[in-house]
Amino acid sequence: MVWSQGCALGCPGCFNPQTHSGSGAGVVRTAGEVAEEVLADAACVEGVTVTGGEPLEQPAAVAAFCGAVRARSGLSVIVLSGFSRAEIEADAARSAAVADADVVIAGRYNARLRLARGLRGSANKEYWLRTGRYTAGDLAAVPELEITVTDDGTLTFTGMAAPEGEF
Ligand code: SF4
């Protein structure tokens, strides 16, 4: 999972408001650096998901990252975006950013249509299948929650049904 910093779309009920600031923690990493880190683990994972924040507010970086992953590995590429498919297709930079994606999960989060299943946070979001690598059924079958426990007891929750609060 690659998290991009910065989102100005302002979906009410967004689960990840700490990603909205464009400045984040002041750490800036290039697309190439992030790609190298992902590619170093390419043998251990099936693919990479780019989320945020809003990845397509940094379209050139996302294009470079996805292009490097596509050119140098067999990893799948999924991009989660708050922009709709129409908004992406109408913009050359955003279109280029997803050119190497197998799937784009597109559209604003709508809290009234919350799903918390598969890879869609809300029912209005679209599975835009750009290659034949995955079906909508594959994506809908993704576990709702994954819990990782490290040696020091740190718990990391990943998924659409991640609980809130401290543990
Ligand atoms: S696009 Fe995503 S990160 Fe941005 S406000 Fe909407 S749900 Fe939050």
Side-chain angles (χ1 to χ4, degrees):
M1 187 85 76
V2 173
W3 299 85
S4 63
Q5 185 67 35
C7 181
L9 295 180
C11 307
C14 170
F15 80 109
N16 210 5
Q18 65 270 30
T19 64
H20 292 181
S21 166
S23 59
V27 178
V28 177
R29 303 180 68 204
T30 67
E33 289 170 343
V34 179
E36 291 302 329
E37 186 174 326
V38 169
L39 291 166
D41 287 334
C44 307
V45 294
E46 177 177 327
V48 59
T49 300
V50 184
T51 185
E54 176 45 61
L56 301 189
E57 289 188 359
Q58 304 180 55
V62 172
F65 171 79
C66 294
V69 170
R70 173 67 72 222
R72 295 172 52 195
S73 77
L75 294 177
S76 61
V77 177
I78 297 176
V79 176
L80 275 71
S81 175
F83 289 108
S84 68
R85 177 174 176 172
E87 289 172 322
I88 296 169
E89 291 183 315
D91 183 279
R94 290 179 201 143
S95 292
V98 302
D100 286 305
D102 294 293
V103 179
V104 181
I105 300 175
R108 306 289 191 279
Y109 172 66
N110 184 328
R112 289 175 298 173
L113 301 175
R114 176 178 162 80
L115 273 182
R117 290 197 304 275
L119 289 179
R120 292 189 301 163
S122 58
N124 60 301
K125 291 180 73 77
E126 175 186 4
Y127 287 133
W128 177 9
L129 306 175
R130 298 178 48 82
T131 68
R133 185 148 181 169
Y134 296 117
T135 66
D138 294 331
L139 301 167
V142 170
E144 296 162 17
L145 177 64
E146 179 181 89
I147 304 172
T148 304
V149 184
T150 59
D151 290 342
D152 67 1
T154 301
L155 301 179
T156 302
F157 297 88
T158 307
M160 290 294 173
E164 297 178 351
E166 298 183 2
F167 297 84

